[in-house]
Each structure stands twice: as structure tokens, then as C-alpha cells.
Amino acid sequence: MASELRLDQLPSYAKLRELADKLRKIAIIEFLTVDAARACDFTCSAAGLQLDYSKQLIDRNTRETLWQLAAEAELPARIQDLLNGAEVNNTERRPALHTLLRAGGNGALADKYREVVATREAMRVSAEKLISGQHRGFTDAAITDVVNIGIGGSDLGPRLVTEALRPYQNSIACHYVANVDPADLQDTLLDLVPETTLFIVCSKSFRTEETLTNSLVARDWMRAAGASDSDLRRHFLAITTNLEAATEFGIPRENCLPMWDWVGGRYSVWSAIGLSCAIAVGWDNFQQFLAGAGAMDRHLAEAPIASNMPIMLSLLEVWNRNLLGAGNHAVLPYDQSLVRLPDFLQQLTMESNGKRVALDGGALDYPTGPVLWGSAGTMGQHSFHQLLHQGTELCPADFVLPLTTHTGMHKQHRRLVANCLAQSRALLLGRTEAMAKRSLLSRGYDEERATALAPHLAMPGNRPHNVISMQSLTPATLGALLALYEHRTYCSSVLWGVNAFDQWGVELGKEIGAQILTLLEDASRPSSMDPATNRLISEWRRAQAP
Ligand code: F6P
């Protein structure tokens, strides 16, 4: 591991700084107009996806320099480290082997791969027993509903995949409960029947407060319906690395599927953590999902820097973040079934690259992972796109566009596509004040009013963005898309010199939460927190008084 890497010390970085100063004054449309081949050349394809980055604020020279930067950071070697099981998670002394979960085989990692294959088989058996109705509840009724109880990586991936692949959904409905707010579980259980419901407790650590609390309530719900302790075996499965804690909870070993410390939570949808999606869409579709990701892995490993899609996405992320100063990044899927994609990517990218020190612990004096946000088009157009077009914040974006729809409603889908392409073009071109004024005059405004209004209608354009398209959203293209973002995340972490696989920043809040809970549970305890927290605790205590 190159733990001493600093992005701003790489030889090409100084040149990129100069280029950024120069390019800031140029309109992206000029590149497209002058360079007739750009619209085709600034694209790359892999695993059923196409990336169009022709509307980024880079020219050919900058692109070459970014490729040079990737070479100087030894990105191809670092990618091999990831794929070959090197200790890329240096603070926890582990590899990050999510790619092994969708591999067709791996000689060097044969022992681990054998466990992966055995677990896949156990998943297949569990999923098929449920789908075929063989797995029955304590009254011998077939299971109709599965509730995945988990949070973070044990929720967001499976939830996204289940929703995104709704057209492939079979007869078992999968539900997701994550929040420790009792309303989440309560609302979910409202429509369910204990006799036909199965819970999957998904927790890599089996120590997560939200998941354990919800699982205990779910167990009480089953008991209240008359299930004995031995009946519960038919209604609870666990996915965890912590088999002891799961058995202590009352889930027998034969109902547990393993996880491994060499798979990070936010990279785990490909493991048994994805069991609920395999149940929702069936085993063959889940295999296709793994295969799509596997195809992206091979592309990452084999494609040269210049045509490597995850590397290119990552270089653009770093260019926009560090050279153009963009502190955030929007993800705009133009497909309702991908409405959860921004949520999933928030954990993937911000828990991975929201870091302030390098691998060697030294503080970084350049920015790392941007704030990621977004929502499905066209809803965003009627809310935050205003800021994208006219705000003072530079906000690079990824449009994600399946070119066809599963709905069969092609005429309406055309409108969705038209909106996506229109937003992309408006971000590119904007509208000058003179154009705005001409349009106002043609709409009957008088000269004075048109002059006054024109600055409000003017849009600078030149907002850099990518378009990631695919023929249609299938299990395979969804797998490729998620793997693409995983790899972008890793490549960017290498360029920034940070560890993408730990998340120490989430721990302090958990510790303080436990301390505060003791104060909420026992009102007689004096609170010795800071004055502001003490005041809120007192306010809460007063609110509980009858
Ligand atoms: O608190 C953060 C985190 O550890 C995430 O990284 C993880 O995905 C989530 O909590 C859930 O953890 P677990 O699967 O161990 O319950």
C-alpha cells in the first residue's frame, strides 16, 4: 500500500491546477463545437453501461493529464491490490473482498472463495424454499412476507435492489425496517400476519442498536401471536459474522448464514446480506445481478486507464472536487425504480471517503469525498434543480438513464427521457441575458420590464455532468451500475490517499448515545453532559411528565 501518497504532491497535480485556472473561463459547448469527435470520444462502455463525459469541463489535454495522474498514483497496481486481497483496510488490518462475492473463481483466494460458494448455495436453498412455499410458518402456512431488519449496509443495498428490480418480483413481498424509531417497524407490521411472516436479521456485527432493538420487538410480536420459542425458528434467519450473538438471541446456527470481516457493510449486498433481494426476485435474477457486477470487476481489472470507466469516473470526481472546488455531487436517476440509488450511494461514498486523514494518519490539507445527494427525475426538477441551474454552488451531477422501460408505457416513458436530455442540455448551455430578454420581448413584455427581468432568467450553463445510460435496467445492468460506483469510490480513495473501508467517525455518536440513554432511563440520575445537552435532557424529562 502506498500509504504516503498525497494527491497534491503527484507530479501532474500542478499542471492540473494550471489547466483548471484556464478551463474555468471556457464554455464546455465550445469544446463540443470545435472538436467534432468529442461527443463520441468522450464516452466509454463496459458491462452494458455507457458513460458519456463529454459535458465535463475538461479538454483532451486535461484528460491526458488526468490519465497521467492515475498512472502516477499507481492506480492499476492499487486496483490489483484490492482484487487480490491485499490489506487495503489498513486500520482494521483487512482486505476488502466484495469482488470475490461475484467472481466466477479465484485461485489465489481459494479458501475464501470456497466459503463464498458454500454460502451462495445456502442462500439459494433458503430463497428457493421460501419462494416454492416449502418453508412454512408455525401454523404450517406458507411464508408470504419477509421483513429484513438491518441498517446501513445491511439495509440500503438489499432495499435498493428489491425496489429497482420490482419488474422481476415474485410472489413473496420483501419489506425493510431500519430505523430505531418504533414507527418504522410498527408501520411495517400493520399489514402483516405473524403466521406468514419471516424476519431476516441482517447485521454483520450483530451488535447494532437499531437492528437488535427492532428484532426484539419483532420477536415479541411473534410470541404475542402464540409462537413458542421453538416455533420462532421457523420465523427468524440471521446473516452475521457473529454467530454466537445470533444464537444467544435465539436464532439457531442452522438458521444463520455467514458474513466475513473481509466484506465491508456498505459493500455487502452481494453476500448473504442480499438474501432478501434473492427471495424477492428469485435466484436466477440474483445470479444475473452478481454476474453484471462481475463483468464490471473484470473491466476494472483489465481495461487500460484511458478506457476504464470506474477510473474515468473517479478522475472526474477528483477533478471536480479538488481542481474546480465542487463540494457536492448530485445523482439523478431518470427511472423511478432507482429512487433509492442516492440513499445507497450516500453511504457507499460518504462513509467510505468522508475522511480527513491519510492512510498513514497524517492530516490532509485538500478536500476529500464530496457530499452526495439527489433524487429521481423528474421530481427533482420541481425542487432542487433551480439551484443546479442558477445557484452559486457548482454541483456536478450524474444522470442515470435506462433507455427503455419495463412498464410497457413507452409514450409516457418518452417524456421522461426528453426531460432527462433537456436537463442535461440546459445545464450545458444555460441561457444568456440577451437570449432571455429576446424571449421576454417575443412574449409581449415591454422593453423596460424585459430588461429588468432578463438577469433573473439568465442561466450561466457550463455545469459539468455525466450521463450513464443502459439499454434497460436489468439485474445485470443494476449489478454493473452498483459495482461501477463501488470502484469509483475505491479509485477516488486511492487518489485522495484515504482508507475507503473503515468508518471510525460513526463510533463516538454511538458511545454518547448509550450514555444519554442511561440518563433518559433513570430520571433521578444527574446529567453531567455539556450545558446544551443537559438542557435538552431536562426538556425531554419534563415532556414525559403526565
Ligand atoms: O454504524 C455504521 C455501520 O457500521 C455501517 O458501516 C454498517 O453498514 C451499519 O453500521 C450496520 O452494521 P451491522 O451490519 O453490523 O449491523
Side-chain angles (χ1 to χ4, degrees):
M1 291 295 301
S3 59
E4 69 290 348
L5 184 143
R6 294 292 187 275
L7 175 67
D8 55 358
Q9 306 296 309
L10 294 172
S12 295
Y13 196 80
K15 185 172 172 202
L16 286 169
R17 272 205 180 110
E18 285 169 22
L19 286 166
D21 286 343
K22 202 177 92 196
L23 295 188
R24 258 196 215 98
K25 295 163 203 131
I26 298 179
I28 301 167
I29 185 62
E30 281 179 33
F31 296 139
L32 279 156
T33 318
V34 171
D35 181 352
R38 179 180 170 110
C40 289
D41 277 3
F42 278 45
T43 63
C44 51
S45 302
L49 307 185
Q50 190 180 54
L51 165 67
D52 174 349
Y53 58 95
S54 64
K55 292 176 224 167
Q56 291 285 346
L57 188 54
I58 57 168
D59 58 6
R60 285 181 186 269
N61 185 15
T62 310
R63 185 171 69 164
E64 291 283 343
T65 314
L66 286 169
W67 289 340
Q68 184 60 34
L69 187 83
E72 288 162 5
E74 298 177 350
L75 204 41
R78 299 290 79 79
I79 287 168
Q80 293 308 321
D81 285 347
L82 174 81
L83 301 175
N84 293 332
E87 204 176 89
V88 288
N89 181 351
N90 67 328
T91 61
E92 296 178 302
R93 301 196 163 159
R94 295 170 186 164
L97 277 170
H98 41 285
T99 50
L100 194 63
L101 302 170
R102 58 245 185 167
N106 193 315
L109 299 160
D111 288 350
K112 289 188 171 63
Y113 188 65
R114 262 194 293 280
E115 291 179 48
V116 169
V117 172
T119 306
R120 258 190 228 158
E121 179 57 12
M123 280 175 79
R124 184 188 67 74
V125 170
S126 282
E128 289 186 345
K129 270 191 185 162
L130 278 154
I131 295 167
S132 65
Q134 258 177 279
H135 184 133
R136 303 186 92 80
F138 75 97
T139 59
D140 209 34
I143 298 295
T144 55
D145 293 87
V146 165
V147 180
N148 187 89
I149 302 181
I151 196 163
S154 298
D155 166 69
L156 292 164
R159 193 192 284 259
L160 163 66
V161 174
T162 300
E163 289 188 14
L165 299 182
R166 196 79 80 202
Y168 300 82
Q169 170 80 43
N170 60 46
S171 59
I172 297 204
C174 289
H175 312 264
Y176 292 86
V177 171
N179 201 335
V180 78
D181 182 337
D184 195 5
L185 182 63
Q186 199 174 54
D187 288 354
T188 305
L189 296 184
L190 267 184
D191 296 330
L192 303 184
V193 175
E195 290 78 353
T196 56
T197 300
L198 175 102
F199 294 94
I200 304 180
V201 183
C202 254
S203 178
K204 181 178 166 185
S205 61
F206 220 88
R207 275 198 292 263
T208 304
E209 181 190 15
E210 292 88 339
T211 302
L212 297 186
T213 307
N214 281 321
S215 300
L216 287 170
V217 177
R219 197 173 68 181
D220 289 346
W221 183 72
M222 290 300 306
R223 282 183 175 148
S228 68
D229 278 2
S230 71
D231 289 339
L232 288 176
R233 293 166 177 241
R234 298 184 183 211
H235 292 269
F236 280 85
L237 303 180
I239 318 294
T240 188
T241 57
N242 190 351
L243 294 175
E244 271 173 29
T247 38
E248 212 169 287
F249 177 89
I251 303 177
R253 283 203 174 216
E254 62 273 21
N255 284 17
C256 296
L257 292 181
M259 256 285 273
W260 307 278
D261 66 1
W262 39 267
V263 177
R266 51 194 175 274
Y267 299 85
S268 67
V269 65
W270 325 96
S271 71
I273 294 286
L275 179 61
S276 59
C277 7
I279 295 166
V281 302
W283 188 249
D284 288 349
N285 287 319
F286 190 74
Q287 290 280 89
Q288 288 299 311
F289 171 65
L290 298 183
M296 185 56 76
D297 297 343
R298 285 192 296 284
H299 168 80
L300 174 79
E302 292 162 13
I305 288 176
S307 56
N308 194 302
M309 194 185 287
I311 291 182
M312 197 62 226
L313 261 192
S314 160
L315 290 169
L316 291 167
E317 179 175 40
V318 168
W319 167 256
N320 286 324
R321 178 72 179 116
N322 298 78
L323 282 311
L324 300 184
N328 65 91
H329 184 96
V331 175
L332 311 171
Y334 273 69
D335 191 306
Q336 185 59 24
S337 58
L338 288 174
V339 70
R340 300 270 179 191
L341 183 64
D343 290 358
F344 171 81
L345 294 181
Q346 275 180 342
Q347 188 202 12
L348 175 65
T349 64
M350 290 162 75
E351 205 173 59
S352 295
N353 287 337
K355 307 285 164 65
R356 51 175 288 282
V357 299
L359 286 163
D360 60 13
L364 293 170
D365 51 12
Y366 50 78
T368 60
V371 173
L372 186 145
W373 58 285
S375 88
T378 59
M379 281 93 78
Q381 292 174 207
H382 298 271
S383 75
F384 57 77
H385 279 226
Q386 165 62 35
L387 185 147
L388 297 186
H389 291 294
Q390 286 188 314
T392 50
E393 198 66 37
L394 177 66
C395 185
D398 291 346
F399 289 87
V400 179
L401 178 65
L403 298 171
T404 56
T405 177
H406 287 285
T407 61
M409 298 168 76
H410 305 294
K411 211 167 146 198
Q412 184 166 343
H413 187 251
R414 247 176 260 158
R415 288 180 183 273
L416 178 72
V417 176
N419 271 280
C420 178
L421 301 188
Q423 289 298 312
S424 166
R425 184 169 154 81
L427 287 171
L428 169 72
L429 293 178
R431 174 167 55 188
T432 63
E433 219 169 292
M435 284 162 70
K437 186 173 165 186
R438 270 201 302 280
S439 150
L440 287 161
L441 289 171
S442 72
R443 281 152 59 193
Y445 286 83
D446 62 32
E447 176 70 24
E448 190 187 347
R449 189 87 181 108
T451 307
L453 271 184
H456 298 276
L457 273 68
M459 297 155 70
N462 223 26
R463 310 291 200 184
H465 58 276
N466 297 310
V467 180
I468 299 169
S469 59
M470 65 206 76
Q471 172 66 22
S472 65
L473 187 66
T474 62
T477 52
L478 179 66
L481 181 69
L482 302 194
L484 170 65
Y485 275 107
E486 285 182 349
H487 297 324
R488 182 191 77 161
T489 302
Y490 175 66
C491 292
S492 296
S493 79
V494 171
L495 294 168
W496 284 317
V498 301
N499 181 349
F501 302 109
D502 60 10
Q503 60 281 322
W504 300 101
V506 302
E507 297 304 327
L508 179 61
K510 291 184 193 172
E511 283 166 32
I512 300 175
Q515 292 160 13
I516 292 182
L517 183 60
T518 62
L519 297 171
L520 302 186
E521 282 170 348
D522 181 357
S524 66
R525 277 196 195 209
S527 172
S528 56
M529 302 268 152
D530 61 278
T533 308
N534 285 341
R535 195 197 65 72
L536 286 167
I537 289 172
S538 304
E539 191 178 322
W540 182 85
R541 283 175 173 166
R542 277 197 303 279
Q544 310 311 303

